[in-house]
Amino acid sequence: NDTYARDPRFNFILLRENVGKRMAQMAAIRRSSGDLVLNVDSDSTLASDVVTKLALKMQNPEIGATMGQLTASNRNDTWLTRLIDMEYWLACNEERAAQARFGAVMCCCGPCAMYRRSALLLLLDQYESQFFWGKPSDFGEDRHLTILMLKAGFRTEYAPDAIAATVVPDRMGPYLRQQLPSARSTFRDTFLALRLLPGLDRYITLDVVGQNLGPLLLAFAVLAGVAQVALTATVPLWTVMMMAAMTMIRCSVAAFRARQLRFLAFSLHTPFTLFFLLPLKGLPFLHFDN
């Protein structure tokens, strides 16, 4: 945009080739000069007061990073975008909000996150040198950088009133491809986070353990149910009823807290998880050559 190009407050960095998100971030951070660094994705749309609200949160020098609340800018396009938008609300206003009460948001998401530049400069070498299967890592940047912040002794926070919208996949294929790096990052960086848990609140330990054991226990329940059907020709009604009851309780609580009945439809996320996301989470360490 010519308007921004002529504005002395903006400095555009043009790299010779597409080097990936991590390398682009480091190039920008090393050439930055302010106290705070705002990270956004190329398809992020920020509310006019997002920078102000994130900066206010960062006034505490103990805070190394703060993320805003995410929404889907294309929420009304398909049933999948509506489902993802509700998933974002729950992830931000339940998971991240709960973690923020203890100053340890475990992943400051890339579409809208602000970092303390002085802290970033301390961590850049570690951030750059992360490898996976013998190659420089090209996924999971947000979670890894957040955990490095916690490892360095900084707090990580959530600002629910700093709202950013991002474009989400509207078809199943692109969505599942997007989720695979996330699943791999969750399991991989959990091992790094384990060393931090003794110094964090017990709730964070419970949260981290639950996020990793939960899918495994759910997978075991599904496999046990399939085995029962195959071996005895009977349906595990108690298992099905328990999953349905827990789903409706969660969706009802979300609908009440958000004051939006649409969250009752989030019950569709349970079969979606069972038949699509759960098998995907079983592939976190598969290696694919580019």
Side-chain angles (χ1 to χ4, degrees):
N1 188 300
D2 291 339
T3 302
Y4 292 108
R6 292 192 297 268
D7 192 322
R9 297 174 301 171
F10 293 90
N11 181 17
F12 292 90
I13 302 172
L14 299 179
L15 302 178
R16 295 181 179 179
E17 58 182 348
N18 185 350
V19 295
K21 175 178 177 177
R22 190 177 307 228
M23 299 301 293
Q25 280 180 314
M26 291 189 296
I29 292 167
R30 288 187 170 119
R31 292 182 59 176
S32 63
S33 58
D35 295 329
L36 303 173
V37 175
L38 178 65
N39 184 89
V40 297
D41 285 347
S42 60
D43 56 7
S44 296
T45 303
L46 306 183
S48 59
D49 57 357
V50 163
V51 174
T52 299
K53 290 180 176 178
L54 291 177
L56 287 173
K57 196 78 169 180
M58 295 290 291
Q59 286 183 327
N60 183 346
E62 295 181 355
I63 298 176
T66 299
M67 67 166 284
Q69 181 176 175
L70 305 182
T71 64
S73 58
N74 57 333
R75 182 182 86 181
N76 296 322
D77 285 1
T78 66
W79 67 270
L80 181 59
T81 58
R82 292 184 177 91
L83 203 62
I84 296 173
D85 182 70
M86 289 186 281
E87 183 180 14
Y88 278 4
W89 191 94
L90 290 165
C92 289
N93 294 292
E94 288 189 348
E95 178 186 324
R96 268 39 170 219
Q99 294 170 349
R101 291 180 64 89
F102 307 100
V105 172
M106 300 305 290
C107 179
C108 290
C109 298
C112 180
M114 182 172 283
Y115 297 91
R116 191 170 304 282
R117 181 174 176 270
S118 58
L120 286 174
L121 293 177
L122 295 174
L123 303 173
L124 277 187
D125 289 342
Q126 297 179 66
Y127 185 49
E128 182 178 12
S129 60
Q130 186 184 29
F131 283 78
F132 185 73
W133 290 111
K135 294 184 177 181
S137 178
D138 59 356
F139 65 90
E141 295 88 359
D142 305 330
R143 184 177 298 276
H144 185 61
L145 187 54
T146 304
I147 290 177
L148 288 178
M149 282 286 178
L150 291 170
K151 184 180 177 182
F154 292 96
R155 295 171 60 90
T156 53
E157 295 282 352
Y158 167 58
D161 54 350
I163 300 175
T166 184
V167 178
V168 300
D170 58 1
R171 292 179 292 113
M172 187 72 71
Y175 177 65
L176 294 179
R177 286 194 294 272
Q178 181 194 65
Q179 290 300 299
L180 180 57
S182 175
R184 297 163 79 186
S185 172
T186 299
F187 283 102
R188 180 194 64 186
D189 288 308
T190 292
F191 291 104
L192 178 60
L194 290 177
R195 305 173 187 175
L196 304 174
L197 296 182
L200 301 176
D201 191 272
R202 292 179 181 178
Y203 170 81
I204 301 298
T205 300
L206 179 64
D207 183 77
V208 170
V209 172
Q211 284 197 46
N212 288 274
L213 285 184
L216 296 177
L217 295 175
L218 183 58
F220 177 79
V222 171
L223 291 175
V226 171
Q228 179 177 331
V229 172
L231 297 176
T232 67
T234 60
V235 177
L237 288 178
W238 281 110
T239 301
V240 173
M241 291 173 61
M242 181 62 70
M243 288 183 179
M246 293 179 67
T247 296
M248 291 312 302
I249 290 173
R250 185 191 185 198
C251 293
S252 298
V253 171
F256 175 77
R257 292 189 64 234
R259 303 294 192 270
Q260 298 179 42
L261 289 176
R262 69 187 179 103
F263 279 89
L264 295 177
F266 194 70
S267 56
L268 295 174
H269 195 268
T270 295
F272 185 67
T273 298
L274 292 177
F275 298 111
F276 293 100
L277 295 182
L278 194 60
L280 191 71
K281 289 181 181 294
L283 307 174
F285 293 108
L286 283 185
H287 175 57
F288 300 97
D289 291 323
N290 293 328

